[in-house]
Amino acid sequence: MKVLIVGGGGREHAIAWKVAKSKSVSEIYCAPGNAGIEQIATCVPIGVMEFEKLADFAVKNQIDLTIIGPDDPLVGGIVDVFEERGLRVFGPRKNAAIIEGSKAFAKELMKKYNIPTASYETFDNADEAEAYLEQSKFPIVLKADGLALGKGVLICNTLEEAKEGVKSIMLDKHFGAAGNKMVIEEFMTGREVSVLAFCDGTNILTMTSAQDHKRAKDGDQGLNTGGMGTFSPSPFYTKEIDAFCQEHIYRPTMDAMKAEGRAFTGILFCGLMLTEDGPKVLEYNARFGDPETQVVLPRMKNDIMEVMEACIDGRLDQIKLEFEDNAAVCVVLASAGYPESYEKGKVISGLEAFQDKDSYFVFHAGTKKTEEGIVTNGGRVLGVTATGSNLLMARQNAYEATSWIQFDNKYMRNDIGHAIDEA
Ligand code: AMP
Ligand code: GLY
């Protein structure tokens, strides 16, 4: 089988690595890919939003299956374009990817189908949003409706901050058209957990749990980022919590999407908050998480192609997902200054230390091959990942491996997995 992966970050490197282990795969292509993916796949310089060019490439190269990594092309309808051309593709159609593409849609769906989430109101007018804030409790959460690189969420402690937030989202359009509408919702407290699931339109099979660290600095301080590190499994996601979520969140979400004529096929990512009143949905994503994928896929025993094919063919009920009884931790090595401004083009050394090691992985995110060698080419540069027999071992191994890599302005959080000590 010939497989094309669309995307070029750490998530796509982890997907490519897992796809490469499949018995049925003979060749892997990735558009646009990165310097790490290039070591296991043929990278093609086509952008993720160039749907027709990607589809032309798939036809010309007789690609058997295309896997879509990022949110933008999914929300933009890449799956529909591929399907119209008779191409096999893994991911939700545009009418289902809206579960990530519009926070207002996701919230209305949860309300209509009684799926537990924070209480909220939707606004398309800044004056009305401000009037609502006048009689709200703080802290409160403001969310731009559309995609905003994971950064369209503002947690506001005071009325003044919240009014400033409404202005920046709806009037100054800080997140562009994503801010034409906004959701204002109740602030929740608790542990966060990410649960990713394979979906075939009807059936949903969840993978092992993970936890992300969204803030840039130690102690969960600093700005929100794409994710600075992850661990899997979450020790707080117990069997009882899982049973509750299966019954009240995952199954009802699948049924709701089907009932709305938006059957969901692909990866559904449920961002959960484990509150005192039980688990509630923070957000849905219509794709694999980044960097959750980097800790979940190295623990998965199944041949990923078999699972993806079952999703597309609507026979996920015949699959049993299996995960190793171990743990994994991913520490993101970033460029100092991320998520604001940072320098690129720094030569990276030490990558070869990961070769031939079964339980250590270096997933590339922002890297590029040049005449000088592999250089930094983004805010998040590498996802250094290690497995271990338990979370403590995995964390120790991952941090040990971060010292193998050097580049100027290397930055990482030193407390990824701090919650492990509180479990
Ligand atoms: P989202 O993009 O919706 O996942 O939001 C980004 C981050 O903001 C989440 O991972 C949470 O840490 C935080 N967040 C979002 N919604 C809420 C909420 N209602 N209460 C507390 N924190 C929230
Ligand atoms: N790690 C969070 C996300 O992928 O959205």
Side-chain angles (χ1 to χ4, degrees), residues 103 141 143 153 185-188 192 214 282-283:
K103 300 217 187 260
V141 184
K143 297 186 173 184
V153 175
E185 72 176 29
E186 169 204 0
F187 176 76
M188 302 189 284
E192 282 186 43
K214 291 224 166 90
L282 276 169
E283 63 162 349

Side-chain angles (χ1 to χ4, degrees), residues 16-82:
W17 168 83
K18 187 67 181 158
V19 166
K21 293 176 88 75
S22 170
K23 295 189 297 288
S24 56
V25 172
S26 54
E27 269 174 82
I28 309 175
Y29 296 85
C30 188
N34 62 36
I37 296 173
E38 209 173 282
Q39 292 163 10
I40 47 175
T42 305
C43 291
V44 245
I46 308 178
V48 302
M49 297 306 284
E50 296 182 283
F51 301 170
E52 295 298 339
K53 276 195 191 165
L54 289 166
D56 289 343
F57 179 87
V59 171
K60 209 167 143 208
N61 293 278
Q62 295 171 312
I63 299 294
D64 298 294
L65 176 68
T66 300
I67 301 166
I68 315 298
D71 47 1
D72 280 316
L74 288 167
V75 170
I78 190 172
V79 169
D80 306 61
V81 170
F82 271 61

Side-chain angles (χ1 to χ4, degrees), residues 11 100 212 214 226-227 269 283 285 287-292:
R11 163 184 50 212
E100 170 165 12
D212 191 7
K214 291 224 166 90
F269 167 144
E283 63 162 349
N285 294 318
R287 51 170 173 83
F288 277 106
D290 191 345
E292 282 87 346

